[in-house]
Every structure is written in C-alpha cells, then in structure tokens.
Amino acid sequence: MSEDGGLHRVRAEELEGLVAAIFAAAGCSGAEAARIADGLVGANLTGHESHGVARVPRYLEWLRTGEVEADQTAEVVSDAGGLAVIDGRYGFGATVGREAVEFGITRAQETGSAIVGLRRAGHLGRIGQWAERAAEAGLVSIHLVNVAGSTLVAPFGGVDRRFSTAPIAFGFPVPDEPPVILDFATSLVAEGKVLVASQGGKALPDGSLIDPDGRLSSDPTTLYGALAPGGPRDHRRGLGAIRTMGDHKGSGLALMCELVAGALTGSGCAGPPRGQRFANGMVSIYLAPASFGSTEEFETETREFLDFVRASRPAEPGGAVLLPGEPERHTRSERLRHGIPLSAETWAALRSIAAGLEVDDSVLAEA
Ligand code: NAD
C-alpha cells in the first residue's frame, strides 16, 4: 500500500482479501464473502468507486438490520423454457445475482436465447459485471434493472423523487477482441457517485441534482442534507433529487426500467414509499449469436462496424473515439499494476470496521 496525493493505494488482491475477511467476520460464509469482495473490488478496478469498497459500511448495515440476508440461495419460481423468474430472497446480489446470470447463460447456450426475471435481489453492484460474464460465455445480453424502495431521481419536468437510479447494461462479444460493454445508471449520476463526492472524492458534474425549488445543484447536501465528516450518508435526510440523464429520453428509460424490472418481475418499483425492503429487480435477455444465422457474417459485420465507428476523426486534438467498456478496461489494467486508490474517508471507514470486527487490516496499516 502507498499514499498518493491524499489517496491511499492498495493492491487489488490485498484489498479483496481484507473485504472478504470483513464479510466472513460479519457472518457470511467464506464463499459468499469472497464473492462480495470480488464484486466490490471489481468495481473499484474498473473505476466505479461508487460501487466499490466505499459501500462496505452500507452492506454491513443492511446485513445487521436484516435488509439483506447472508448465504441465501436463489429460487426458480417459474420456468417456461424461454422465460424464467428467479427470486433472490433478499440474498446478497453477489450470490443470487450470479446464480440468476449463470442460469440465463446456461439456458441460452442450450436453446439459443433466454429471458430471466430476477426479483428481490440484494444490491447487484456494477451491472456491467453481469454483461461481461455473459459476453465471456459468447452471448449478447441486455439487462434492465431497478431498485425497489429507493426513490432518488426526479422525472423529467418534476422535482420530486420518483425513480431509482435504474441502470441498463448491454454486453456484445466481439471475436478476437474484448466485448463492448455499455453500462450506466439512467440518472445523471449513480447515487454512489454522490456518496463518493460527499466523501471528498470526485466532484459531481454541474446540475446533476435538483433542489425542491427546481434549482440545479452539484452539492451532495442536496441529496443527503447536512454532512458530518465520516457520518452516515442518508438520502432520507436531503430534500432534493438526482436528475435523469438525457432529459425526457433518460426519464423515459428510467420509467421503463421501473416497469419492466420492478412491476413485471414482482420485485417492486422504486415507490410510492411503503416501507419496502431495498431490492434490485432485473430482467436479463441472453442471445446466442449463432441462433441468428451465419456466425461468420455476424463476426465480419461486427468487426467492420466497430472499426468504422472507431475511425471517426476525434472531436478534439489528441482525443479518440472509445467503445463502451474501453475506459473500464484501461482503468482495470492501470489499477492492477499500480493499486486501487482509496479516498481518506473510505480508507478510514475500512480501518474502523476491521478494528471493530477484529480483522487483520495490516494491508491498510502500512500507509
Ligand atoms: P458512467 O456514467 O460512468 O457510464 C459508464 C458507461 O459509459 C460504460 O459503459 C463506459 O464504458 C461508457 N463510457 C464512459 N466513457 C466513455 C467514452 N469516453 N466513450 C465511450 N463510452 C464511454 O456510469 P454511471 O451511470 O455512473 O454508472 C456507474 C455504475 O453504477 C454502473 O456500473 C451501473 O451498473 C451501476 N449502478 C448500479 C445500480 C444498482 O442498483 N445495482 C444502480 C445504479 C447504477
């Protein structure tokens, strides 16, 4: 571990070991603790600190209050061949999400396609990780997600919170190249990015938030209310909302994520607030390219089209057109070499949690 401009750099495998030890000490089996650590550290590696180890305190709080339950197994509630519905039973997303995704992949490999509705899953983290898994298995995939019981985002034209940050992800395997992975929240920023900004991390883009009077803001207190250093970040204390991306278009996508992933799956929509348990709902579509006909034509067309897109002249001198998924791959390879940067607040939170659970945190102590 080393210090770098106020950020603490920790080697990925050491951080993963520490986070796994924390969840094992908190009551998860070793296998589940390792899956949780893999998902969180994987998000840090790809540059999405919002879905990384900064979430350890919140995951532990959910475990403590029973919002999420350790070592659940997902249950197949209906299976009509092309469409299956799976209940995550409020288990950790790292476990039940993985089970649902593996189910869909196996089914699509057997039959050419699969649709899987997942309800009542604990936080599924960075949704792109599931699209990456499907792409590794040679499948195109589309994932629509919502968060039951989490209203954070104002609809286009409104100021009151109505949607969750409802992410969407696509994965598209490319022969002899890494897959295209598009993965984003339909809100202008993911809630975790407000969390990171509130902890002294990367500032929010201007106008990401809206206050109750309709004024645009980038101040995390709009969402969380007054902040105490190291204190909890509770969005119930703030009066404002996150805005949707892309004006009416992003707002429409968020609405459809709520309807498809929340209402259709039986997981529940973001609101109205009725004391729902926090849960991710997700509808995933898996497609085997070979079921569409000639694999050779698909491969040639894909490669030629991606080359055509990348060959666009850059808008700025020295710039480049990137494909979705490339920024995450670059960040991953840089962080695997040089370590994962942790903000002082995340580093301190992990130290304090490790001390409370009597977990060896020497990987953090050296800095
Ligand atoms: P973001 O705004 O950083 O967008 C990321 C996407 O844009 C990636 O696909 C990336 O490859 C692509 N991209 C970025 N820069 C690019 C460029 N210059 N050229 C081409 N493509 C580019 O993502 P976000 O909205 O902040 O979401 C962050 C994460 O939060 C996602 O992984 C999402 O799944 C996750 N999330 C999860 C939940 C949940 O409930 N589980 C809720 C909301 C968000």
Side-chain angles (χ1 to χ4, degrees), residues 74-75 84-89 93 96-101 115-122 124 130 144 146 260-262 265-267 280-284:
E75 181 193 356
V85 179
I86 295 185
D87 190 338
R89 301 164 71 209
V96 298
R98 189 174 297 211
E99 288 173 341
V101 168
I115 302 173
V116 177
L118 172 63
R119 61 167 74 142
R120 305 196 306 170
L124 291 165
W130 311 116
L144 272 66
N146 89 317
V260 173
T265 61
S267 196
N280 270 147
M282 174 162 80
V283 169
S284 301

Side-chain angles (χ1 to χ4, degrees), residues 67 90 120 146-151 164 258 262 267-271 276-281:
E67 192 90 350
Y90 298 108
R120 305 196 306 170
N146 89 317
V147 197
S150 169
T151 46
S164 63
E258 292 292 346
S267 196
C269 297
Q276 299 97 316
R277 254 166 106 167
F278 177 99
N280 270 147

Side-chain angles (χ1 to χ4, degrees), residues 229-283:
R233 304 295 190 244
D234 183 346
H235 57 74
R236 287 167 300 191
R237 296 178 186 202
L239 299 173
I242 310 177
R243 294 171 65 222
T244 57
M245 58 150 209
D247 296 332
H248 57 292
K249 302 182 187 183
S251 188
L253 281 177
L255 177 71
M256 296 315 287
C257 282
E258 292 292 346
L259 293 174
V260 173
L264 203 54
T265 61
S267 196
C269 297
R274 299 182 282 258
Q276 299 97 316
R277 254 166 106 167
F278 177 99
N280 270 147
M282 174 162 80
V283 169

